[in-house]
Amino acid sequence: MDLKSFHRRSIEDRGGFWAEQAGLIEWHKPFAAVLDYSRPPFARWFVGGETNLCHNAIDRHLLTQPDAPALHFVSTETGEERSYSFAELYREVVRMAAIMLAQGVGRGDRVLIYMPMIPEAAFAMLACARIGAIHSVVFGGFASRSLASRIDDARPSLIVSADAGSRNGRVIAYKPLLDEAISLCAHKPERVLMVDRGLAPFASVPGRDLGYAALREEHLDADIPVTWLESNEVSYTLYTSGTTGNPKGVQRDVGGYAVALAASMKHIFCGNPGETYFCTSDIGWVVGHSYIVYGPLIAGMATILYEGTPIRPDAGILWRLVERHRVSVMFSAPTAIRVLKKQDPAWLTKYDTSSLRALFLAGEPLDEPTARWISEGLGRPIVDNYWQTETGWPILTVAHGIEKTPTRFGSPGMAMYGYDVRLLHEQTGEEVAANQKGVVAIEPPLPPGCMQTIWGDDERFVKTYFETIPGRLVYSTFDWGIRDPDGYYFILGRTDDVINVAGHRLGTREIEESLSSHEALAECAVVGVADQLKGQVAVAFAVLKDPARAGTPEARQALEGELMAIVDRQLGAVARPARVHFVGMLPKTRSGKVLRRSIQAICERRDPGDLTTIEDASALDQVRDALAS
Ligand code: AMP
């Protein structure tokens, strides 16, 4: 079948289409209805069906391939390597589940996971899935304040963490960040389960902190059956940034997610049982949830959990892993490739990568030079794919499991089955013509696997995502795009204040709030500025209460350092602005709105745009002067 017909059927015959896809997973009890869309825009998939993500990821493969590898852990930071077959992974997950149950964690309870890239992180996620607890993984690169806001929103009964992560050979102690976060929280978790890697000594809080190694010994022979869950129960929440400073807990179901992942592994990633999938993302991001942990395992593939960077110990490490584990499907981010592009291209051909059928890239725009460089250097198909934390799996890409449509440089591809993608005029809500710029929107219901709601806030879900385009109840991706006459889309950047630094999604408001906690600041604005390596970087403009504080170059530099340190401490180094510039005032509209887009344009040497509403145009000169100084 061709992709266009496959797509059309997925929209015109939702019930038939998704009932077929649902056959890719195992159900304990069949669903009574494919879709309940009686309360738009809330979609309930596979109503009444009972299944379990952990069962589909592990247990079901125990019958057919218990000894096949399921998880390869490789850390080039610590030199550790461990592999687990499906049978061994099963045992570890059951032990972790037993520990959780013994601590009173039950169905629907939240477990917050703040972990580096170690197998225990995957055990914890799968153990939650097994017992029906809701996991909420927080990226290990986030620091205390980011973590605290997520703890308070998720209200976990248990936190699973580790002594430290390591990046670029530098140990990052997690426990002090976690302790500080808990001290900032209104909600105090009852228990903290600590995996001690022996990287950073830490103090335990008696009565609260538990050691994983000892408890694992206690539960070595545990036998914990899966808890069958109704398809629409919650599997996890994952926080992501938006326009406000408050992160949103993207909430996902069980059955719809399992079906969506299984279908994507078949039609998009074309992965087969017994093969190896290598995704270089982190479990703290949606890509890690879908394509490090759940997707490959559901498909019966081995997954590689990699702690390390693309260039340590050398720029051949990723390809060495491809060779060693005969990786057939690989998934990374454009930033990683841009990092490799600065290295000797001979690394790309040093190892035998003939097992690799395709390299998928996502998370940020894939620029044409980078796409060409890697595609020519590797001699393998490069597949760009566009999606979001909210959707859980690709919205736009090509699906070579359906049809071998060609890819086009600069385009992530076409609308995927299940997604009724529209390009809408921001103000009128009308569909725009081919080659016209519009907001990338999805006509609801969203397909299986997409977010159900915002954790604890249905109203915010509807308001944030479905009420931004006048006159229509339609999901906004907050991305600009165009579509060519052949149906290929091109993504042109965000419509909101979200920025994308090296594939990490950050809200500029969160960074502004963090900077503003410095006593010297009157106000500030953070914008995303185009960067050759990272796609975008955050650049801050700060107004001081007392301008004399930045009177000399030395004083400016010292203050800039202090402000960066605040962001490091509160949010984590990922959010640290590349520069903090000091200005006398920020460009604002007469109604007081900061003109972030104009600031961004000036930083990128573009035209600042429509300035009819600006309060004082000299503020723009101050931005220019600050950049020049
Ligand atoms: P996240 O929720 O962190 O996955 O970030 C989602 C956002 O990243 C999207 O809304 C886009 O702005 C951007 N993005 C993700 N993948 C792509 C892609 N392949 N091309 C262009 N932008 C992308």
Side-chain angles (χ1 to χ4, degrees), residues 286 362-365 384-389 477 479 491 494 500 505:
V286 70
E364 55 180 319
D384 189 358
N385 55 118
Y386 159 88
W387 46 298
Q388 316 179 296
T389 306
T477 61
D479 281 301
I491 299 296
R494 296 281 302 195
N500 197 315
R505 173 166 161 184

Side-chain angles (χ1 to χ4, degrees), residues 37 40-43 153 237-244 246-252 286 386-392 395 419-420 422 424 426 439-446 450-479 494-498 505 507 510:
Y37 195 53
F42 299 92
D153 193 76
T237 66
L238 178 60
Y239 288 87
T240 193
S241 307
T243 298
T244 68
N246 283 348
K248 298 176 290 224
V250 167
Q251 177 184 314
R252 240 186 269 297
V286 70
Y386 159 88
W387 46 298
Q388 316 179 296
T389 306
E390 288 84 348
T391 67
I395 304 168
Y419 292 102
D420 190 359
R422 311 288 175 101
L424 303 178
E426 189 188 25
V439 178
V440 181
I442 303 164
E443 192 69 35
L446 298 178
C450 289
M451 75 191 293
Q452 296 178 293
T453 184
I454 291 175
W455 170 254
D457 204 340
D458 284 353
E459 205 182 306
R460 189 176 173 203
F461 170 66
V462 178
K463 237 182 138 117
T464 303
Y465 293 105
F466 290 89
E467 289 183 352
T468 57
I469 310 269
R472 306 181 64 140
L473 186 77
V474 65
Y475 174 86
S476 173
T477 61
F478 296 98
D479 281 301
R494 296 281 302 195
T495 65
D496 60 4
D497 294 324
V498 164
R505 173 166 161 184
E510 269 181 279

Side-chain angles (χ1 to χ4, degrees), residues 591-606:
S591 58
K593 265 181 80 173
V594 176
L595 288 160
R596 288 186 183 76
R597 252 161 247 297
S598 303
I599 301 177
Q600 181 192 39
I602 291 171
C603 292
E604 295 179 347
R605 296 175 208 283
R606 289 186 285 110

